[in-house]
Amino acid sequence: MGSECGPGGSQSRAVWCAHSEGWTTLHTNCDQAERPENQQSCFHVCDWHKDLYDWQLGAWNQCVPVSMRSTGVIQRPAVCLHGEEGIQTREVGCVQKADGVPAEDVAICEYFEPKPRLEQACLIPCPRDCVVSQFTPWTSCSKTCGTGLQNRVRFVLAPPMFGGSACPNLTEFQTCQPGPCAGPESLYSLRVGSWGPCSVPLPRTARQAPTLKGKEGSEVVKDPETKELIKNKRNRNRQNRQGGKFWDLQVGYQTREVTCVHRSGNADALSLCSQESLPVTYQACVLTKDCEVSDWTDWSPCSKDCYELNGPMGEHTRTRRVHLLPVGGGAECPELEEKEPCTPQGEGVPPCIVYNWKTTEWTECRVDMLLSQQDRRRGNLTGLCGGGVQNRELYCVQATSVDPASSALKSKEASRPVDGDLCLSPPPNTTQLCHIPCPVECDLSSWSAWGPCTFENCLDTAAKKGFKLRKRRVINEPTGGTGSCPHLVEAIPCDEPSCYDWLLVKLEECIPDNERECGPGTQIPQVQCVNSDGEYVDRQLCRDAILPMPVVCEVPCPKDCVLSPWASWSLCSHTCSGKNTEGRQMRARSVLAYSAGEGGVQCPNSIALQEVRSCNDHPCTVYHWQTGPWGQCIEDTSVPPVNSTAAGARAGVGVRGGDSSCSVGMQTRKVICVRVNVGQVPPKKCPESIRPETVRPCLLPCKRDCSVTSYSDWSACPATCKEGGNTKRKQNRKRIIIQLPANGGQDCPEVLTQERDCEAPSVCLGYRWKTHKWRRCQLVPWSVRQDSPGAVETCGPGLQARAVSCWKQDGGQADMGACLKFASSMPSLTQLCQLPCQDDCQLTAWSKFSSCTQDCVGVKTRKRMLVGKSKKRDQCKNNQVYPLSEIQYCPCNKYNAQPVGNWSDCILPEGGRVEGQLAMKIQGDIKECGQGYRYQAMVCYDQDNRLVETSRCNSHGYIEEACIIPCPSDCKLSEWSNWSRCSKSCGSGVKVRSKWLREKPYNGGRPCPKLDHVNQVYEVVPCLSDCGQYVWVAEPWSVWKVSNVDLKENCGEGVQTRKVRCMQNTMDGPSDSVEDYLCDPEEMPLGARDSQLPCPEDCVLSDWGAWSRCSLPCNKISTRERTAYLIRQPGEGKLCPNTTETEPCSLNSNCYHYSYNITDWSTCQLSERAVCGSGIKTRMLDCVRSDGKSVDLKFCEQLGLDRKWQMNASCVVECPVNCQLSDWSPWSECTQTCGLAGKLWRRRTMLQVPQGDGRPCPLQREQWKPCPVRPCYQWRYSPWSECKSEGARCGEGLRFRNVSCFVSDGSGQEEGSLVDDEMCGNLEPSVDGAKRVTLEEPCTSPCPGDCYLTDWTVWSPCQLSCVSGDDLGFGSVQVRSRAVLAQEPENLLQCPEQEWEARPCTEGQCYEYTWMTGAWRSSSRLVWCQRSDGLNVTGGCPMTAQPVADRSCDPACNKPRSFCTEAGVCGCEERYTEVMTSDGLLDQCTVIPVLEIPTAGDNRADVKTIRAVSPTQPSNSLPGRAGRSWFLQPFGPDGKLKTWVYGVAAGAFVLLVFIVSMTFLACKKPKKPQRRQMYNNRLKPLTLAYDGDADM
C-alpha cells in the first residue's frame, strides 16, 4: 500500500481456488480466465482531505408508488382516502468542493461522513378533481327579437390537483327567441377602436408657413431687442410656475378608428351602419413621460460610529431625487431611498458605550410585609424579627472605562441615570428575602444553695463583715435585644465569716468505751478542709476553724433497746429567718428492738426519737448589683483614631462583617446596689468584689453621608402633534438615592426631580400637496379636427394642466420626494376642459350649500351665475335648462342614544394604593378592592339609524355604574394553644400545640396551611423530662405494731408503716408534693412491711442496703448481693442471720442493658417575634433500658456510651410572600379608531411571585373599558357603470364609478349608510387602503356576434389539502377563473378558451365534500355534491360513492297504486299488497286485510274483529290511537309470500292437532276403578298437587 496521501496507493487481497463443497484445491483446477484481481489501486485518505471533498446531494425524484416498483404497473386503489405510499430516490456522489468533479473513490467521503440515504418514503396524494360552483341564472336573451343566445356561467372553486379530472365547461348556452322582428334584423353595428398613441402636433411655424408668405415681414420677424424681452418674460413665467420643473407636460392629440362590423365579425363600409352622427375620432392628450430620477447619492455615514462585537448593526442610507414626475400614464417613480445595515469601518473606531444596571442599597429588612391579616403583631411592629422582605431601585448607567485616566473624567457621566432601554442585560432582582436575627434571651441556671458565711475578700480579713452568696450561671449568652443578663450573684450579710471550714465527710463506727463490747462509746468524725466554694484545700488553711468533736454513741447490749441510725436532715422550712419566720429542719429514728426490761437500757419515749434544729438563720435581706443598659458609644478623645481591625483588637470587640468602624469609643452604664423587694440601697450593702464594670471600650461606626446620582438628561419633549393643542409641554429629569445617610451623616437632598417647559412647541413633521391654477384649455390642432362636421376652430373639448407643489404642514416648501413618500396621492395634473363656443352658455361652478339655520323646517341653497356674454343670451336665461339656484330641505334630525356592548371591568378610582418607602407596597395593605365603577359605551343614532357623534345625543359617551371588587380575606386560624405537658415524665416524649380554623380564605386571600380532618394544624416538638425531677420521698418507719403480742417480751411478728409521697426534686432537694403518677411506680418504696421484731438478746441487724450492680453484659452466671450490718450482738446461745443476701442476675428482671435513643427532629422552631426565616430544629437524646423503658441519662453516661449526634440544627421556614403586582400602566390607545368595539386596555405585571402560603396573584392582570363610540367614515366605490362606447354601439369605451362617503359601526357586519361627503372631508382620499382613487377605466363593449371572456372572478377562499380535517401537508391554494360569453349561435366556434389560474396562499381552510340526495319523485331523485360550508358544487365528491339517482323498472310500473322500488322491481303503496303473476311480475295491488288490536283504554277491549278497511276512508280513531292498527301484508314487493306467512300456517296446524287431541281425551270413557285404587285415590290429590308444584 502507498504510504502517502492521495491516489497512487494499492490494495491487495488473497485469491484461492475452492471446491464447490468448500475445501481448497490447486489453482490449476479453476478457470484462469475467471480469476479475480488480487490487487487494485486505491486512494489514501488523510484528515486534510475533509476540506477538499464532500457529498453532493441531488434533488429528490418524483414520488413513485411502491406497487409500481415491485410490479412495474401502477395499481391505484379503488377508493383513495389519504393517499398512496411511495418512494422517491436521488443521486448522491462524492465530489471535490472546488469544482464539483467526482472523486476518484467514494470511500473518501465515507471516511469522514456516512453516505446520505438514497431513498425516502413519500406520500402520493389522492387525485383532486376540479371543483366548480353551481350555474348562475340564465342571462337575458342577447337579442330583443329573432334568434339569440342565453348564457349561464359557473366559476372554479378548487383547481384539479394530483392528477384529478380537469375543469368542466364553465359556460352553458341555449338559444332564445323573444319574438319575430318587426322589420329586417339589424346586421351591422358601429364600433369604435381604442385611442391611438398620443402625438405631438406639428410646430405652429411649420403649419402656418405657407399662409404667412403674403404678410409683412415685420409681423413675422421681430427685432432682436423685442425677441430678448419676450424670452426673458417666458423664462420668468416658467420659473414662477410652481413645480413646473418637475414634469414635462406636452399636450398632444390622439385619434381612434370607427368601423362598421357585421354580426359575423367582419368589417364593412361605414355607410352600411345607419347612424345620425359618427363619434368623435380625436381628443387632446398628454404625451406619456416616465418618471425620471437622479443617480443614487453616496451612502451616508453609518448610523453606528462605534465597535460592538455582538451588538446590533447600524444603518446607512442613500437617496435619489425626482427630476421629472410621470405624466400621461408613464412609469411610476421607483423607490427614492435605500437602507442597508452597516458597521463602522477603518482603524481607530472606538468601542461602543456599554450600559449596565446599577442598584441602590437594599432597604431595611421589613417583617411587617409578611404578616397575615389576622396577625396580632400588626398592631405593634416593634421587635419583629426573622424572615422579611427588602427591595432596591434599579437604574441604568453608562459603564465606566477600564482606563483609570479616562474613568476619572467620565465618573460623573457614568453615574448619570439614562433610559432603561439602553441596558440590554437582564435586570437584577429588585426584591429579595432577608433576615433580621431574633434576639436570644439570656438563659440562666437555677440558683445554687446559699454558701457559707465568708469574707468578701479572703486576702483581707480585717473587716468583720461577711456575706453568704448564692450563684447562678449563664447557660445561653444573649444576642440582640438588651444584650445583657440579670444579676448572677445574690448576697446576704452575715456575722463571723470565714474563708475555710471543716467539712464532715462521715462518722466512723461507734467504739464502746473502756474496750467493752457494748455500751456507751464515741464516733470519730472524718473531716476535710474546704473553701467557701466547697473545694477541698490544704488542711493547714483550716487551722483557725473549729474542728468537729467526736460524737457520743452507744453500741446496744443484748438486752438493750435498739434504735436505728438518724435519718438525713430534712430540707430547711425557710430560706431565711426573720421576725415571723425561722428556718427549721428535723431528723428522726425508730426503735428496731425493745429492751428486755430487766438489766437492759430502756427505749426512749417517742419525743426523743426526733430532733429539730435551726437552719438558714441569716436574715431575709438579700442584696445584688443591678446594671442598666450600656449607653451610646462616645468617642474617646484619649485614644487616637485607627483602622477598624486594630481598633477592634485593642478594644477587645469583634468587628462585625460589613460594618466599618473608624475609632475606639467608650460606653458607660449605671450600676446600683439593690435590696430584693425594697429597691436601691447604698453601694456598701453589696459586696464590692463582685461589682460589675461600669465602663467598657467600643467601636464607633463611621459616618455615612447620603449619596445620590447626578441628574439624568432632560426627557425629550413630546413629538406628538395634537391639533389645536396649545398647552405647554414639559420635560423633566431625576436623580436617585444610592445610599441613605447613617450615623449622623449628611442628609439627602429634598429635591430629586426637576421639571421645566419645553423650549419650543413640538412641530408636526407633515407634508401636503398644493395645487395651483389651471392653465389655458388647449384644443386639438385645427388641422386634425377641421374635417369633422360641426367643428369650430376656437372652441370645443380640450385639455388643461396645472402645477402641483409640495409643502410642509407648517408652511415651508419641501422637496417633491417628501410628498411622494409621506403625503397622499398626488392630485391630477390635467383635466378635460371645454372652450365655450360663441353660442354656448357659460356658468360658474355651483357654490356650497348654505348652512341650515333650523332643522326640519329650514332650507339650504346653492347658486351659480352666468358668465360673460351668456348673461345677454336669451337661451341662457332659461331657468329650466340652466337653473341658477337649487334648494334642499334641511334634514329633520332626531337622535336617540342607547347603550352598546358589554360592561367593562370594575375599575377602582386612581390613587388607591398604599405605598411605602421607594415604592415598596405594604404587603396585604394594597388597595385592590372596594367600590369602583364599570362603564358601558353609549351610541347615538339619527332618525335614519345612522351612527353619529355621541355629542349629538348630549352624552359624554359612557354610562357608569358603581361596582364592588371584593377584598381578599386570608385564612384565619386561632392563636396557638399552650404547649401540652410532655407525654413522658421520664425520658423523651413529645409536646403538642395546635391552631384551629376560624375562617376559610376567600376572594384570593392567603391559603390555609395543610389542615387535618377536624380543621386543625399541629406543631409537635420533642421534649425531655428529667427522670430525677420527680422522686419518691419516704418518711421514717412508724413504731412497730406487733400482731402476736407477747407482753413480756414485746417482740415477734409486727408491722411497720410509713408515708410515701411523690415530690418535685430541686437543687436543694425534694420540695413540693405532686401527683403520684408523675413518679415511676416501679421505684415506689414500700409503704408497709411485715417483719420479725427482735426479742431481747436476739441479734439485731440494720436494714438491707442497696443491691450491688450486676456486671454487664447480663448473664445468669453473675450475681448481685446486698448487705446489712450488725447493730446488737446476740445473747448467749443465739446466732445472727446472714448479713449478706445474693441473687442471680437476670436480664430485664434485675439486670439491664442501656442504650441511647435519638428522637425525630422537631418542626422548625421560630422566635415568637418571627414569621418565617431561620429557625432551629431540635431532637432529644434518650437513655433506654433493654426492656424499653426510658430511664435517667445518668445510666447511659455511667457506661460511657458514645454520644455522636447533633442535637440542634438550623432550618428555614419558607416565608409567606404575597404576590406583588406593578401599578396599572397608563390606559392604552383605543384598539380601534372608530366603531363600537374599541377598547382601552391597561395592564400590570408581576413584581413578586408568591411564595409559601403567601397570597396568590389576582387573576385579573389586565382591565378594559370601552372607548367613546365614533362613527367610522370611509370612502367607498359605487359599482362600475356599464361600458359605454361614446357615439357607437360597441367597441372600446369607458366605464365609470363614483366615490361616496359611508358611515358604519366598524363591525363589518353591515354595509353602512350613505352620508354627505363632507363627513369624509378629513379623511385621506383613499378607498380600501389604496391611495390612488380610480373613477374611470377603459373597457370593451362587445358587439353583437362577439364571443368574449368575462372578467376574472375574485380569488376563491384559501383551501387546504386535507382528509377528515387532517392537513396532508401540501399547502393551500386559491383559484380564480374567466368564463366564455357568446351572443350569436353562429359564432360559437370562434369563442376563446375559458381560463383559470391558481396561486398558493396561507391560512387555508379544510373543506369536506358530501353527496346529498333529495326525496324520490316517481323513479328519480336529485343527487348533488355539497361542500362542508353548505355550498352546492360540482366535483369534489368521490364518484364511486355517488348515490343512485334513477331507479326505473323494466317493464314500467303502470299498475294502479304501484311504484318502482330501489331494488328495481314494482311494489305497491302503503296499505296495499302485491298480487304477482306466475312469471314474477306485478299483476295488481289489492287492499290489505287489517287486524285491529284495541288498546287497554278501548271500550271494545273484549271484541276482536277482522275487517277490510278502505285506504281512502278517513280514520275516526281517537287521538292517541294512531298507529295502533297492524296491517298484515302477506306478499313482498317481489310478489312472493313473506316468511312470516309460512310460520303462521305452521303454528295454526300445530294448534289444530292439539285441539283435536284434547277433544279425543275429554270424550273418551274412563275405566271403572277398583276398591284399592279408590282408597289410594283419597290420598292422591295432595300428591298430585305436590307433583304439580314440583313440576313447576
Side-chain angles (χ1 to χ4, degrees), residues 1384-1405:
E1384 288 287 344
E1386 296 85 356
N1387 297 347
L1388 287 178
L1389 296 178
Q1390 302 175 8
C1391 290
E1393 292 291 331
Q1394 63 187 23
E1395 296 179 5
W1396 63 266
E1397 62 183 12
R1399 69 179 182 186
C1401 55
T1402 56
E1403 298 181 0
Q1405 187 176 357

Side-chain angles (χ1 to χ4, degrees), residues 145-146 180-186:
C145 63
C181 294
E185 191 174 349
S186 174

Side-chain angles (χ1 to χ4, degrees), residues 1082 1114 1145-1153 1185-1188:
E1082 289 185 13
C1114 299
C1145 290
S1146 176
L1147 181 63
N1148 295 338
S1149 175
N1150 55 15
C1151 182
Y1152 300 95
H1153 295 158
R1185 212 164 63 179
S1186 53
D1187 61 350

